[in-house]
């Protein structure tokens, strides 16, 4: 494959997923500039490895590389943050939680900020599962392939991430009742 | 002259007459009384037998009833327990599969089972609503768009690498 041929194929198959790549990198790093660096580096890596890509799923392929690049960056920059295991005691256990609709809680910009902050506090593996599942609509199997873990691990990470969101909902209800 | 059993001026034939007459009357009377007594006795006997039978039935029932009640209660309890266990088992299974159900990761048959349980179990239905709300919340998270300059920078870097030969390996 000639260079220009390879480049145009790359532009056609991989670059359309740049938004998904940036979104994932942004959620994994919690930082705009870091996310841009990650996506740029991941794109160059992807291009170098493009000969090994057989065109089955460009988005999943790019997201895998973005994910690994982001983890490398996190390990380099914030080793303590990545290594900190999720402290169940600190973050509260998943007790009984009142139900609510997101609509009643995401009324204002402030609530949205609070929600984003709650997710950003989650361990990176949980954020990753949450974003890949709910924003990219990937299946357990696809997420497992990207994260390099068994599907059971994906399920438990998702469950715990969503338990945090349920706590967020419950907190919203309590505040609403208090006011 | 008086005739009949109590006539005073009696002679043989009169006595004979009286005797035969009286004996017939007496024996008739005796028979009447006896038969009356017999039938009375007989009917008393029947009544007595009936009462006795009734008593026996009552006694048997009063002996049996507490046992019967106990048995009925235990059956009722056992049924309630097994129904509860059945429901609990279903609830447990439902809770365990709720995430996969929400994520469309269940096979259709299993999904149908969960759906049916949610229709009849208010507790699980409540849990389901909460889970679903959490999922919706995750979906409502902001979706970041790549800045336009990023795409340009990437394309520039890729084209630059064409001119400068193979890309330098990026340390990881
Ligand atoms: Zn149930």
């Amino acid at each position: 494959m000639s260079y220009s041929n390879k480049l145009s194929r790359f532009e056609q198959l991989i670059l359309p997923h740049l938004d998904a790549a940036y979104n994932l990198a942004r959620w994994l790093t919690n930082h705009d500039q870091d996310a841009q660096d990650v996506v740029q580096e991941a794109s160059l890596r992807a291009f170098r490895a493009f000969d090994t890509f057989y065109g089955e799923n460009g988005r999943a392929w790019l997201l895998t590389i973005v994910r690994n690049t982001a983890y490398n960056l996190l390990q380099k920059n914030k080793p303590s943050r990545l290594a900190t295991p999720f402290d169940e005691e600190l973050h509260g256990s998943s007790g009984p939680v009142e139900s609510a609709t997101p609509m009643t809680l995401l009324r204002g910009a402030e609530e949205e900020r609070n929600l984003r902050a709650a997710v950003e506090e989650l361990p990176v593996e949980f954020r990753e599962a949450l974003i890949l599942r709910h924003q990219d609509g990937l299946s357990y199997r696809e997420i497992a392939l990207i994260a390099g873990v068994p599907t059971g691990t994906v399920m438990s990470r998702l469950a715990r991430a969503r338990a945090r969101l349920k706590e967020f909902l419950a907190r919203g209800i309590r505040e609403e009742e208090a006011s | 002259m008086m005739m009949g059993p109590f006539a005073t001026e009696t002679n043989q034939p009169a006595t004979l007459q009286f005797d035969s007459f009286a004996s017939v009357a007496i024996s008739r009377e005796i028979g009447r009384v006896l038969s009356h007594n017999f039938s009375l006795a007989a009917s008393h006997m029947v009544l007595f037998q009936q009462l006795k039978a009734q008593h026996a039935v009552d006694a048997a029932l009063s002996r049996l009833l507490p046992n019967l009640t106990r048995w009925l209660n235990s059956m009722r309890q056992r049924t309630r327990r097994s129904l509860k266990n059945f429901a609990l088992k279903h609830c447990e299974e439902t809770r365990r599969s709720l995430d996969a159900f929400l994520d469309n990761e269940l096979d259709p048959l299993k999904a149908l089972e969960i759906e049916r349980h949610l229709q009849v179990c208010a507790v699980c239905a409540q849990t389901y609503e909460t889970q679903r709300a959490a999922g919706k919340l995750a979906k409502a998270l902001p979706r970041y768009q790549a800045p336009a300059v990023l795409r340009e920078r990437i394309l520039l870097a890729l084209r630059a690498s064409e001119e400068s030969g193979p890309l330098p390996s990026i340390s990881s």
Side-chain angles (χ1 to χ4, degrees):
Chain A
M1 201 184 336
S2 79
Y3 192 88
S4 64
N5 204 336
K6 182 178 169 183
L7 188 62
S8 76
R9 248 175 68 80
F10 188 78
E11 275 184 65
Q12 201 185 330
L13 294 175
I14 306 300
L15 289 191
H17 307 298
L18 220 55
D19 274 337
Y22 176 77
N23 184 54
L24 179 65
R26 179 70 176 72
W27 276 110
L28 293 182
T29 59
N30 286 337
H31 193 278
D32 168 51
Q33 195 52 56
D34 283 353
Q36 289 197 40
D37 290 349
V38 163
V39 173
Q40 178 157 357
E41 189 181 326
S43 300
L44 298 186
R45 277 192 195 190
F47 187 69
R48 250 179 295 141
F50 196 47
D51 295 329
T52 65
F53 174 70
Y54 297 106
E56 51 299 344
N57 187 345
R59 191 170 56 140
W61 189 70
L62 181 63
L63 290 181
T64 309
I65 300 172
V66 166
R67 184 254 177 208
N68 292 338
T69 310
Y71 271 63
N72 285 343
L73 182 86
L74 288 174
Q75 235 146 25
K76 220 160 29 187
N77 290 355
K78 305 156 192 160
S80 63
R81 181 147 189 186
L82 194 68
T84 309
F86 186 56
D87 192 338
E88 205 82 57
E89 303 249 321
L90 200 72
H91 290 89
S93 60
S94 46
V97 167
E98 304 96 311
S99 78
T101 63
M103 305 315 143
T104 61
L105 283 155
L106 281 183
R107 270 178 309 214
E110 199 193 328
E111 272 106 312
E112 203 193 292
R113 250 198 321 278
N114 289 344
L115 170 65
R116 207 175 56 206
V119 173
E120 283 175 356
E121 271 175 38
L122 287 172
V124 63
E125 306 88 359
F126 293 14
R127 289 203 301 271
E128 165 186 281
L130 209 60
I131 296 305
L132 289 176
R133 172 71 202 104
H134 289 289
Q135 293 205 327
D136 295 303
L138 299 185
S139 69
Y140 292 168
R141 220 180 78 82
E142 289 170 308
I143 299 171
L145 283 173
I146 289 175
V149 292
T151 51
T153 309
V154 172
M155 287 169 79
S156 72
R157 283 176 181 175
L158 264 177
R160 288 165 78 183
R162 287 195 284 226
R164 285 279 285 148
L165 291 184
K166 277 191 273 176
E167 275 170 41
F168 179 83
L169 284 172
R171 209 158 47 224
I173 287 170
R174 275 197 292 277
E175 273 160 20
E176 206 166 90
E177 278 168 352
S179 64
Chain B
M1 191 174 121
M2 246 179 116
M3 292 292 285
F6 305 108
T8 48
E9 292 164 42
T10 53
N11 48 20
Q12 274 310 88
T15 310
L16 260 176
Q17 235 179 19
F18 163 76
D19 282 343
S20 66
F21 187 81
S23 70
V24 167
I26 286 167
S27 68
R28 200 182 285 161
E29 186 60 20
I30 289 171
R32 207 176 56 79
V33 168
L34 274 181
S35 85
H36 178 68
N37 281 349
F38 263 129
S39 73
L40 251 179
S43 62
H44 274 149
M45 276 293 265
V46 170
L47 253 175
F48 179 71
Q49 290 295 342
Q50 276 178 354
L51 271 172
K52 220 172 105 180
Q54 193 106 46
H55 262 283
V57 169
D58 281 356
L61 269 180
S62 66
R63 261 200 316 277
L64 212 66
L65 252 160
N67 286 339
L68 202 72
T69 316
R70 249 199 306 280
W71 181 76
L72 270 175
N73 276 342
S74 87
M75 281 309 280
R76 206 173 293 144
Q77 254 174 19
R78 201 180 304 172
T79 312
R80 204 177 299 143
R81 208 161 31 228
S82 68
L83 265 175
K84 205 171 150 195
N85 282 343
F86 183 74
L88 275 180
K89 194 173 146 268
H90 260 228
C91 287
E92 225 172 85
E93 252 176 51
T94 303
R95 303 280 164 83
R96 228 181 299 123
S97 313
L98 217 49
D99 270 325
F101 176 70
L102 273 163
D103 291 327
N104 283 325
E105 294 271 350
L106 291 181
D107 62 87
L109 213 65
K110 183 83 191 156
L112 198 69
E113 238 173 69
I114 303 288
E115 233 168 83
R116 283 209 186 117
H117 182 82
L118 291 177
Q119 275 165 6
V120 296
C121 179
V123 183
C124 287
Q126 176 73 46
T127 314
Y128 170 72
E129 279 311 313
T130 317
Q131 296 278 92
R132 208 161 62 120
K136 273 191 186 166
L137 213 51
K139 224 171 258 175
L141 286 170
R143 196 184 265 275
Y144 297 107
Q145 274 202 322
V149 287
L150 181 60
R151 191 189 157 86
E152 295 311 311
R153 267 216 310 274
I154 289 169
L155 281 172
L156 265 174
L158 290 176
R159 290 202 184 100
S161 75
E162 185 189 12
E163 284 147 22
S164 63
L167 285 165
S169 76
I170 300 160
S171 64
S172 51

